[in-house]
Amino acid sequence: MSIQGFNATGVQEITAAAGVPKGSFYNYFDSKEAFAVAVLTEYWAAVVAEYGAILDQDRKPPLSRIARYFAGLAEFHERRRYAVGCLIGNMALEVTPKSEDVRIKLAAIYREWSTALASCLREAQKKGELSAGKNPEQLAVALIDTFEGAVMRAKVERSRAPFDSFERFVLPSLLT
């Protein structure tokens, strides 16, 4: 699904990749959309496990942690040669018009993501790194939205340039 997309990946391909009979798919999932929700759950858990702790490293300044967090996510896409994109963004574009369950799962992921960033941004405000006039919740959403746009463009261009732009221009302008 990461490579071909949700619609282009059939249940037969999924079960073949898992090495199980096609009929057993429906023993575990009510539908392909239910499978997509499970995949998103696992994907997000892996992202949090790999990068979430960066935001919680108390010994480093909060804004440095946020920059490192997004740099780590950019490196993840670089290792995949920018060809795959973000499963969250891909599913948001491809599946949400047709599946309310997937849309609800994605909305929950975005809320969790923005909550983690907003917490770090509030800490930055308390330490005087971030202007008290900035709204951490709105800023967190803006960071995610612009980063996801960079992911999409990097996928199209197969280039790190959108991440460099995000790191050089977007982060400094939003976080000062």
Side-chain angles (χ1 to χ4, degrees), residues 55 60-66 117-132 134 136 139 175:
L55 296 174
K60 300 194 178 183
L63 296 186
S64 295
R65 295 188 321 239
I66 288 173
L117 286 169
S119 175
C120 197
L121 290 165
R122 278 191 297 281
E123 183 184 342
Q125 280 182 324
K126 287 178 188 171
K127 292 185 175 188
E129 286 186 49
L130 182 66
S131 165
K134 298 219 177 188
L139 185 53
L175 298 180

Side-chain angles (χ1 to χ4, degrees), residues 54-121:
I54 294 170
L55 296 174
D56 297 327
Q57 295 174 340
D58 295 357
R59 298 179 321 268
K60 300 194 178 183
L63 296 186
S64 295
R65 295 188 321 239
I66 288 173
R68 179 64 204 124
Y69 174 81
F70 283 110
L73 292 174
E75 290 164 8
F76 168 84
H77 293 289
E78 186 173 20
R79 287 191 303 272
R80 283 150 187 79
R81 300 182 184 182
Y82 313 105
V84 178
C86 173
L87 185 64
I88 296 165
N90 293 347
M91 295 288 257
L93 291 171
E94 184 180 12
V95 184
T96 55
K98 301 172 199 137
S99 173
E100 185 66 5
D101 291 341
V102 171
R103 187 197 67 74
I104 289 168
K105 180 61 184 179
L106 287 166
I109 289 170
Y110 281 127
R111 278 192 305 276
E112 185 179 331
W113 194 358
S114 63
T115 297
L117 286 169
S119 175
C120 197
L121 290 165

Side-chain angles (χ1 to χ4, degrees), residues 26 83 113 123 142-143 153-154 156 159 162 165:
Y26 294 103
W113 194 358
E123 183 184 342
L143 287 169
R153 188 156 179 192
V156 170
S159 164
S165 177

